[in-house]
Amino acid sequence: MTIAISTMAGAIAACLAVSLCSLSSLFALWLKPDALHRVVPYLVALAVGVLLGDAFIHLIPDAIDRHGSVSDVCLTVLVGVFGFFVLEKLVRWRHDHNFDTTPTGAEVMPLAKMNLIGDAMHNFVDGILIAGSFLADPALGLTTTLAIIAHEVPQELGDVGALLRGGYAPKQAVLYNFYCSLTVLPGAIFTFLLSQLAESSLSLLLPIAAGGFIYIAASDLIPVLHEPCSFPSLSGQTAAFGFGIVFMQFIVFFEQFLIAS
């Protein structure tokens, strides 16, 4: 299949635009340490809402639409949860046995590394979706990109909050989050090279990514929110959690509106 240069250029430009959304978290570099310390729990709560909302409202229904079997998709989601459980075990094992590393005052927790892995996988899937939609129709590619950008901004803010809570310095959190966002480009290139394989792989990658998001939110981030805090902080975290879920539902409506128009 011959792919038009304009189609490839449009998809790559769209991927770069999605990657640049990760820089919406640059505010972390200008906040004072005390203010950043107060903001991070709310960003973690937002991350939980967005991750769970993305998994249950977006990724799993999309996988079911593509695959057709609810039981197979649910089983694949569980495979994703189990896979991320094993992966975190390996990360923690390596962390506990890395005797060559001199301990520092700001030790990076496994939850931050798991968040990076999950985010990189999700962005790779976004690259497949963007390139696949551009191959189908450039107008569809544009609407798909707009929908992805709309949910990327709150997700990137939450991801940086999780990285900061996990021990990364603000500059490291923003930089590593940006590096993870660049996996959208390999996803697009993979689609252009092997379009049929890339399309069929989505029925597997989407529920695995959903399983990873569910595991990261439930195992690594929600326990952080149960740490002792004041009632105003509890209320704010609950509101941020709920906002993340509601926003992901809004994105589904937004996607349907773009497709209908």
Side-chain angles (χ1 to χ4, degrees):
M1 178 181 64
T2 302
I3 302 174
I5 298 298
S6 58
T7 300
M8 294 181 62
I12 295 300
C15 289
L16 290 174
V18 169
S19 293
L20 290 176
C21 288
S22 66
L23 298 180
S24 60
S25 57
L26 279 171
F27 75 92
L29 300 181
W30 291 290
L31 286 179
K32 294 181 179 180
D34 290 343
L36 192 60
H37 180 73
R38 291 193 298 270
V39 168
V40 165
Y42 302 110
L43 293 179
V44 172
L46 176 65
V48 172
V50 170
L51 288 174
L52 293 179
D54 201 13
F56 287 104
I57 299 173
H58 188 260
L59 297 178
I60 294 176
D62 193 359
I64 292 173
D65 287 342
R66 293 173 184 275
H67 191 278
S69 173
V70 176
S71 60
D72 286 351
V73 170
C74 290
L75 179 60
T76 310
V77 171
L78 288 175
V79 170
V81 173
F82 177 76
F84 272 77
F85 166 77
V86 174
L87 185 60
E88 182 166 20
K89 280 292 186 182
L90 293 174
V91 170
R92 289 180 179 274
W93 179 83
R94 182 181 182 279
H95 178 266
D96 293 339
H97 290 79
N98 190 4
F99 298 114
D100 295 330
T101 301
T102 303
T104 62
E107 191 173 14
V108 177
M109 300 166 60
L111 75 87
K113 298 175 182 178
M114 294 298 297
N115 193 79
L116 288 174
I117 294 170
D119 191 34
M121 182 176 180
H122 183 243
N123 284 307
F124 183 85
V125 171
D126 282 346
I128 295 177
L129 293 172
I130 290 172
S133 61
F134 268 93
L135 286 174
D137 182 5
L140 178 61
L142 180 60
T143 57
T144 300
T145 303
L146 290 175
I148 289 175
I149 287 175
H151 84 256
E152 277 296 310
V153 173
Q155 181 163 329
E156 298 298 348
L157 293 176
D159 286 339
V160 166
L163 296 180
L164 291 170
R165 178 61 181 79
Y168 284 112
K171 185 175 181 180
Q172 289 177 314
V174 173
L175 189 61
Y176 291 162
N177 193 52
F178 175 68
Y179 288 159
C180 283
S181 73
L182 293 177
T183 57
V184 71
L185 292 171
I189 295 171
F190 171 64
T191 305
F192 287 137
L193 294 177
L194 301 167
S195 57
Q196 292 183 340
L197 178 60
E199 181 66 24
S200 62
S201 69
L202 282 175
S203 61
L204 182 65
L205 291 175
L206 287 169
I208 288 179
F213 280 7
I214 293 169
Y215 178 83
I216 292 168
S219 174
D220 293 329
L221 299 184
I222 288 180
V224 171
L225 300 181
H226 289 315
E227 294 178 356
C229 62
S230 63
F231 181 77
S233 297
L234 172 63
S235 302
Q237 291 175 20
T238 303
F241 189 155
F243 176 78
I245 296 174
V246 171
F247 191 87
M248 295 312 298
Q249 180 61 62
F250 169 76
I251 294 303
V252 172
F253 292 145
F254 180 61
E255 288 177 341
Q256 294 173 348
F257 171 76
L258 289 176
I259 293 173
S261 60

